[in-house]
Amino acid sequence: MNIQEALAQKVKEAVTSIFKVELPTVEFQPTRKDFAGDITAVIFPMLRYVKGNPVQIGGQIGQFLKDEVEEVTDFNVVKGFLNITISNEYYLDFFEGIRNQQDFGFVSQSSEEAIMVEYSSPNTNKPLHLGHVRNNLLGYSVAEILKASGKKVYKTQIINDRGIHICKSMLAWQRFGNGETPESTGLKGDKLVGNYYVAFDKAYKAEIAAMVSNGVDEKVAEKEAPILLEAQEMLRKWEAGDEEVVGLWKTMNQWVYDGFEITYKNMGVDFDQLYYESNTYLLGKDFVEDGLQRGVFYKKEDGSVWIDLTEEGLDEKIVLRSDGTAVYMTQDIGTAIQRVKDNPDVKGMVYTVGNEQDYHFKVLFLILQKLGFSWAEKLYHLSYGMVDLPSGKMKSREGTVVDADELMEDMTQTAAAISEELGKLEDYSEEEKQELYKVIGLGALKYYILKVDPKKRILFNPEESVDFQGNTGPFIQYTYARIQSILRKAEELEQDLDSSQKLTDLHEKEKELLKQLQLFPETIQLAADNYSPALIANYTYDLVKEFNSFYQNVSILGEQDQNKKIFRVQLAKKVSEVIKSAFGLLGIQVPDRM
RNA sequence: GGUGGCAUAGCUCAGCUGGAUAGAGCACCUGCCUUCUAAGCAGGCGGUCCUAGGUUCGAAUCCUAGUGCCAUCACCA
């Protein structure tokens, strides 16, 4: 039982004893910094049960607590707020309890029930861009947070490897490629394929322009441009299993996968299972048929199959075309079911997909529920806001995207420039330096994106570089590095850093740090419940800010009293461990020096 | 037009189930490096919490209406 629960119990006892009434709940909040105390009980809500003056009531309860509760050493009442001071012993005991707990804050896996987290899921016709970066970072982080909260997690993605988009790149490569390969050009495979996607669009636009100048209506030209018709023909050939087309498709997709692998590795994300649309796009039809039998769906006269969701406040939605082919929804139904078949322990899924698809997922989840799958009750669309540029939306075809590889490289460069200027790493080898710059640059980028509430839109201005000061990744990494420096020095000085010392007094800054450490476990839980890495980021920032204040105001290694000195080193160490754990949940590494 | 999301300091963002004088960072201004890393610390400046009603002892937070921005509503993905 934590101190707050214990106090709630005691406050109820106090009210029963003094005022002879039962209090259902007690409301607490952390005491504001400008008042004395650690925890504050709010008196106002009690006035419904206890008639009287809030200050007087607060005073009586406060006195009761001080007399009856060992941990309560003092109190004061301001307006309707009872500020309670908790003893140093309580906080010191708490610290002693977590000091050697390696996985402090983490819950060990509590059941065999698994949850599947899908993220990334790119198309294979172009490189990853900033929008994918947000998706990847969010999905990865939420998966890690869920694990830390005690869930068994599978990370997965569905790779959109088939369809008209990849045919466009293939066709353009056939026409204009002159047999280029990643090897012959030295380009990353995804970049090469992406170039042909752009080339297709250029040729397509040129054809439209030519047709329009010959008097063809623009709408008609957009639909009948020869190159587009040819791409559509190619897709039909692919579906028919045409050897040449399928061969080219395999080759070009492999180029893309090789390129993606490098990007994922640099980004530091990974997957437990991969699903390919080319394997799943035919799935789902049987279940539509089954649902049709059971009256979940209905058939229109032309043979197309629909679901009526007007009772749920949505529209009618098609689930199978009149020619019997699958639409996206059909496929998503099939894929979800397939995943549970492959992994019977999966009892829920998280889909990391942009908020432009909110409607799609509402419908998908409803359909799966109506089909009667038990796990359909535990599907969650991790919907996030778009990443926009000052110029508006990013568009691959128009080349207005922020490329993921370039962005990461730029961040590394910036980190290098700042580090060189500060010049604290003269004795590092070139290799060590490069490794470090990457850690810092990526830390800045990841933190910048993850600290924002997922559902909010991010406006990214490439002209203004991501900050390295203030509420940033490098600031937090810097604090970690500082603590490591202290620990290295302390090792040299002390023999018995692990001894547990009996202290009685605590510096105000030490107490604040301990309070902040205490919040870590519940923060992980909250972040898991809300699928929000931003909560972890904000917590870590608060912890680090508190530590820096402590660091700058209180001497650690310079402390004369041995016991205090050892305690402070241990406290600093614990703070650095929590920073590392928390950043691990965000997929951010921490450096020993910087 | 229907539906959903968002709106807090010049800029970027916090603000948990309603609670004290709405908090950080950047930018701007003052101090602090012969003692543990100044990517730091201490402080200053800066707000009609989009607007108007309502619920409440109490509203940035909940409800209603409106305004603005974004998304979505296809036998597209």
Side-chain angles (χ1 to χ4, degrees), chain A residues 517-535:
Chain A
L517 285 176
Q518 227 179 1
L519 295 176
F520 189 45
E522 56 196 82
T523 301
I524 290 179
Q525 213 51 55
L526 197 63
D529 293 344
N530 291 289
Y531 304 92
S532 176
L535 297 176

Side-chain angles (χ1 to χ4, degrees), chain A residues 228-248:
Chain A
L228 178 66
L229 297 180
E230 203 172 327
Q232 288 167 344
E233 175 58 22
M234 200 174 218
L235 181 59
R236 275 189 290 275
K237 281 186 178 170
W238 180 89
E239 296 203 1
D242 180 282
E243 257 179 59
E244 194 194 335
V245 171
V246 170
L248 178 61

Side-chain angles (χ1 to χ4, degrees), chain A residues 124 182 189-190 193 248-261 276:
Chain A
T124 59
D190 52 332
V193 173
L248 178 61
W249 172 78
K250 279 187 180 161
T251 302
M252 291 184 72
N253 267 340
Q254 192 55 51
W255 292 347
V256 172
Y257 299 148
D258 293 344
F260 282 176
E261 199 181 312
Y276 294 88

Side-chain angles (χ1 to χ4, degrees), chain A residues 117-129:
Chain A
V117 179
E118 175 193 295
Y119 66 99
S120 203
S121 303
N123 290 348
T124 59
N125 62 322
K126 53 179 191 281
L128 303 181
H129 59 63

Side-chain angles (χ1 to χ4, degrees), chain A residues 338-509:
Chain A
Q338 186 64 43
R339 283 174 169 164
V340 180
K341 254 188 205 164
D342 294 344
N343 307 279
D345 52 349
V346 165
K347 303 294 177 203
M349 298 190 220
V350 176
Y351 291 84
T352 312
V353 181
N355 63 12
E356 55 198 352
Q357 296 199 40
D358 284 357
Y359 185 75
H360 175 80
F361 282 99
K362 254 184 208 165
V363 174
L364 175 64
F365 295 170
L366 268 171
I367 290 175
L368 288 166
Q369 281 170 26
K370 282 173 180 282
L371 286 174
F373 295 102
S374 60
W375 43 266
E377 306 296 328
K378 288 183 182 161
L379 299 175
Y380 181 76
H381 175 201
L382 174 50
S383 164
Y384 60 90
M386 296 290 102
V387 184
D388 292 328
L389 304 175
S391 53
K393 268 191 110 149
M394 290 191 281
K395 294 204 175 89
S396 297
R397 277 172 305 201
E398 294 166 19
T400 59
V401 291
V402 175
D403 180 78
D405 296 316
E406 284 173 26
L407 178 59
M408 290 192 284
E409 180 55 27
D410 286 353
M411 296 300 299
T412 305
Q413 293 298 330
T414 307
I418 294 173
S419 295
E420 296 286 350
E421 199 182 319
L422 293 172
K424 298 179 187 174
L425 304 157
E426 268 81 24
D427 56 322
Y428 262 35
S429 73
E430 199 49 41
E431 206 180 357
E432 286 173 311
K433 283 185 185 172
Q434 288 307 321
E435 187 52 39
L436 176 64
Y437 300 156
K438 207 179 138 185
V439 167
I440 299 171
L442 276 180
L445 177 63
K446 291 182 177 184
Y447 188 87
Y448 177 82
I449 289 173
L450 289 176
K451 76 170 179 184
V452 182
D453 185 335
K455 69 187 168 197
K456 288 194 175 168
R457 181 181 90 112
I458 290 182
L459 188 71
F460 184 85
N461 189 346
E463 303 302 314
E464 297 168 17
S465 54
V466 173
D467 278 328
F468 282 66
Q469 284 174 1
N471 187 358
T472 67
F475 166 68
I476 292 166
Q477 290 172 321
Y478 175 70
T479 303
Y480 179 87
R482 264 179 161 179
I483 296 174
Q484 298 316 301
S485 174
I486 288 178
L487 296 181
R488 282 191 296 270
K489 292 207 164 97
E491 297 264 318
E492 289 169 21
L493 297 173
E494 312 293 333
Q495 300 82 10
D496 195 16
L497 280 178
D498 198 47
S499 68
S500 78
Q501 304 300 327
K502 280 254 184 300
L503 287 185
T504 48
D505 55 332
L506 269 179
H507 191 282
E508 176 203 347
K509 299 281 184 191

